[in-house]
Structures are given as structure tokens and as C-alpha cells.
Amino acid sequence: ADHVPPAALAVRPSACGGSGLFLLEPYHHASVVRIPERELVSLQSASRDASFAPLLRVLTLLANTEGSPVEAGEMETLVILAYLVQQRALGAHSSIAAYISTIPTEYSTTAYWPESLLDNIAGSVLHSATLSRKQGLVQLHAVVCALLAEHLPDQEPAFTWEAFLWAATTIDSRGFRVLVDGSETILLAPFADMINHSFDGQLVSKRFDNGRRELVLAGNPPVAPGELLMSYGEIDNARLLLFYGFAVPDNPFDQIELLFEPPDGDSAAELKCQVLNMLGLTFSHNLSRNLSQLPAIVMALRILLLDESDSTVEFLSALVAGTPLSSHLTRIDGYPLGGVVTLSHEHIVLDTLGNTLAELYQQYAAVLNSLVPSSHIAARLAAMYFSELLEILAAASARLAECGAALPPQDDDDHDIDS
């Protein structure tokens, strides 16, 4: 391994926007990118920096305080965050000034979006996730500032909300989480953090080589020259926007969360919940582009929307008690059904789901219409996200329409759906 020549790499403008890391000539070894430990920013490197020592001692007070708002698992992130803020404030005197100069001064993640734009997407999963993320950071920022005001007042001015958000987003969008000496560790890696995302990028793995003490990003040799890309994971556009500030057209992992619960006051609600658990179903469902979850969603609604009649309660109770599913039960969409599910009920199920999808479509279409006139980059990203969701909803609605058209007319209500 010591004799493996380094790859010829360079930073150049990327088709993805901004800069990217490029391989200049074919490389015939797996370890394409190697960043030695001495170049990495981590909890360990921050702890060794004498200029950070006073601030580190103050931060450890949070870890050692009973009822601390910072959980043990969050201390590593907080220390690196504080280190970035402090070192940026030091400017040319920072020990990592060269690295900080390569980091964007601001980002396009949703926490940076204008409040007017966030108001436009109110009610969406992206909106609620953004508010939750910002609220958590605002609370943490307040805790750190209060601590500094008491123990290190000369350091507090550097910890503006803008600097705090910048550092947190830098860790979210550019940090590598890998095992170092058996423990998951956050590493910031100069140049390697310029590698952009692709679900089928040439770089297929990341690891820390404990022997050589370096971060390694590997591909399948020979690796062709061009921009080096790496998958950030099987991530939908909501999370890409939240943590990285971009969206991917036709993202195969985009999904819409649907939540269905028993009607209020349903006396059979507990039995229905138990049956759902037995069938491996829940109230919450994620509807993705391939619509593979539709059968499970329909089946859950068949159970949840059953009436409270004696026959329904008897049927559900027998299932909960462990009665084997008898031969007169049929299997529809891969799930067992009994005679309590009539044609009329099946129409109700499909109508309920169809109406839910239609309401979401109208909501997201209105959001998209409010975004299209804007030329702001955040509005364009949001428009891409909601366009993707509308495609999923349209496909699901079309599939439901096909299912509804295949059902016998509701006039045959005397029959079960398997008759």
C-alpha cells in the first residue's frame, strides 16, 4: 500500500454547481482519495489545538452538568461546531485558515431559506422538518451563548446566530461519519468534502484506515477521469434539501408520508390496532415513486375503516385471539381478508385514500404555483421538490382509479369482495 501512487486530483468547476473534485487521469487502484489524519478536522484535532483549550473546557461543563440540554452523543458535534466558529473568527491566525477558506460562507439548505418562502411551504414535511431543525439549533445556540457570557465573555461575540448556523451546516453537509479506532467519528476532510453527490458515483465506499491513519474514499478500479461523485446515501429530496441544500431530479427515494388512524370514538380501535400489528402494518406509511406501498396502505384502511358492528368485532377478536385464518378467507394484495369487507366497504376505502391524495395534490399544486414566479435559488429547489411529489400523487391516483374501475358496481353490496 505504501507504494501505491497518489491519484492526480484537482478542484474544478462542477456541472452540479460550485466546485468539485476531479480525477485528471485513469486510476488503477481502489483508494482514489486519501486524506491523512493530520489534515482532518475532528474532535481529536480540536482538542489538540491550544487556542481552543479554554473554550473546550467551558463546553465540557455542559457534558458534566446534570440535566444538560446537550446529550452525550451530541457533544462531539458541538465541539467541532464551536471549533469552526472560533477558528473562523481568528481569520488568518487560525490553524485551519486554509481549510476554512475553501468552505462556502453560506448555504442553500432550508434553514437559510427566507421566512416568506418557508411560509409558502407550510404544512409540508419539509416545512416541519426545517422548523424542527432550526428550533433545535436556536435552543443550542442560546445555551452556548449563555455559557460563554458567564465563563468566557470575550469569546461570545464570535458566536452569532449566522456563525453558529454556518458551522452546523458545514458539519451536516460536509462531514464524513466513519469508524475511527472502533468508534463512529465525524471528520471534516479538506478537498474530499468537495465531492458532489450522485446515486451511482464512481466512489463507492468511505473508511478510516486505522493503520495508515487516513480517510480513504474508494472506487472500483480502473476509475475513469472526470468529476468524482459519491452517493450521500438513499436520501429523498426533503433530506437532501434539509442537510445539503440541493435536490435531485427524479429522485427514486422521494416519498410522501400518509397517516391514517381509526375514526374518533371508534369502540373497535384497540382491536384494529392489534390486527394491524399482527399484519405488520402501522398508521404511518411512506408512498414512494414505485408505489410499492399502496397494497399495505389499502389493507390498513380496510381494517381502520371497518364499522363497529358485532360481526366486525367478532372477526377482529378472533384474529387477535389467534384463530387461524380459515380457508374461506381470500388474499388480496398479499394480505388476508374476511367476509366483513364488503364491496361497499372497498369503495369507501378507495374513495378515502383517493380523497386524501387529491387533497394533498391540491395543496402541493398551490405551493408550486406560489414558487414558480420566484427566481430565488431556494424557490427553484423547493419547486423541484414539490414537482416530484406531485408526480407521485398523480401516479398513485391513477393506480387507485384503475383499482376502483375493476371493482363490481356497488349495487352488488350483498356480496363480499371475494365473491
Side-chain angles (χ1 to χ4, degrees):
D2 291 334
H3 302 295
V4 173
L9 304 172
V11 176
R12 292 182 173 176
S14 168
C16 301
S19 299
L21 190 64
F22 285 73
L23 181 66
L24 302 182
E25 55 190 37
Y27 194 64
H28 298 278
H29 307 277
S31 302
V32 182
V33 180
R34 294 181 291 178
I35 309 295
E37 186 175 31
R38 64 179 178 275
E39 302 294 336
L40 302 172
V41 176
S42 64
L43 172 62
Q44 290 73 25
S45 69
S47 301
R48 291 193 300 264
D49 192 328
S51 67
F52 186 61
L55 185 50
L56 180 59
R57 284 194 294 270
V58 171
L59 291 175
T60 56
L61 295 176
L62 288 175
N64 299 326
T65 301
E66 186 176 353
S68 170
V70 181
E71 298 181 5
E74 298 174 333
M75 277 304 300
E76 179 186 21
T77 301
L78 178 57
V79 168
I80 299 174
L81 187 160
Y83 183 62
L84 288 174
V85 171
Q86 186 224 34
Q87 294 298 305
R88 189 175 79 156
L90 290 176
H93 300 290
S94 167
S95 59
I96 58 170
Y99 173 56
I100 289 178
S101 69
T102 68
I103 302 175
T105 55
E106 63 178 28
Y107 293 91
S108 54
T109 54
T110 55
Y112 280 86
W113 289 8
E115 290 298 327
S116 58
L117 177 56
L118 291 177
D119 289 342
N120 283 348
I121 66 171
S124 67
V125 170
L126 184 59
H127 180 261
S128 59
T130 300
L131 293 188
S132 177
R133 176 63 176 154
K134 288 185 71 173
Q135 183 180 18
L137 288 175
V138 166
Q139 292 173 346
L140 185 58
H141 178 241
V143 169
V144 171
C145 286
L147 195 67
L148 294 177
E150 180 180 356
H151 298 281
L152 277 178
D154 61 313
Q155 296 269 6
E156 187 195 0
F159 281 76
T160 63
W161 165 246
E162 180 275 330
F164 201 85
L165 176 61
W166 167 83
T169 309
T170 295
I171 295 170
D172 282 343
S173 64
R174 304 173 82 86
F176 292 89
R177 286 165 171 79
V178 294
L179 290 178
V180 177
D181 299 325
S183 299
E184 185 173 89
T185 302
I186 299 171
L187 301 176
L188 295 176
F191 300 110
D193 63 6
M194 293 184 177
I195 295 172
N196 290 307
H197 164 80
S198 171
F199 288 123
D200 55 358
Q202 313 97 308
L203 300 179
V204 296
S205 68
K206 59 184 178 181
R207 63 183 177 86
F208 186 81
D209 188 323
N210 291 309
R212 295 176 56 88
R213 309 306 297 178
E214 61 185 14
L215 175 68
V216 177
L217 306 180
N220 294 318
V223 181
E227 181 173 8
L228 293 173
L229 300 171
M230 186 174 195
S231 175
Y232 293 176
E234 297 181 352
I235 302 176
D236 65 348
N237 277 338
R239 286 181 290 170
L240 286 175
L241 289 169
L242 184 65
F243 294 111
Y244 298 97
F246 67 89
V248 175
D250 301 321
N251 189 328
F253 303 105
D254 270 345
Q255 55 188 16
I256 297 171
E257 183 179 0
L258 301 174
L259 181 66
F260 297 103
E261 296 180 306
D264 292 339
D266 187 345
S267 61
E270 184 175 350
L271 282 172
K272 292 177 180 179
C273 293
Q274 292 178 26
V275 170
L276 287 181
N277 287 333
M278 292 173 57
L279 295 175
L281 301 173
T282 65
F283 296 152
S284 178
H285 304 270
N286 291 320
L287 182 62
S288 62
R289 184 176 292 275
N290 64 15
L291 306 182
S292 61
Q293 305 87 351
L294 262 184
I297 296 171
V298 170
M299 186 59 205
L301 281 174
R302 285 172 179 150
I303 298 298
L304 291 172
L305 296 179
L306 286 173
D307 60 27
E308 303 170 64
S309 66
D310 291 343
S311 59
T312 295
V313 172
E314 181 181 356
F315 170 69
L316 295 175
S317 298
L319 290 179
V320 171
T323 301
L325 295 173
S326 58
S327 58
H328 78 276
L329 297 180
T330 186
R331 296 185 68 83
I332 296 181
D333 294 333
Y335 292 97
L337 289 175
V340 295
V341 182
T342 62
L343 282 170
S344 175
H345 181 71
E346 188 73 350
H347 279 284
I348 291 173
V349 166
L350 296 183
D351 288 346
T352 298
L353 181 53
N355 290 337
T356 298
L357 297 179
E359 290 172 4
L360 280 175
Y361 191 95
Q362 291 176 356
Q363 176 189 345
Y364 292 164
V367 170
L368 183 60
N369 289 335
S370 72
L371 296 171
V372 170
S374 175
S375 60
H376 195 287
I377 183 173
R380 295 201 302 271
L381 290 170
M384 180 189 295
Y385 169 69
F386 283 99
S387 295
E388 300 274 318
L389 298 189
L390 287 174
E391 290 178 7
I392 295 174
L393 290 169
S397 296
R399 180 73 61 81
L400 281 184
E402 293 174 0
C403 293
L407 286 177
Q410 293 193 61
D411 295 342
D412 297 334
D413 200 34
D414 294 335
H415 300 84
D416 299 335
I417 63 172
D418 58 335
S419 60

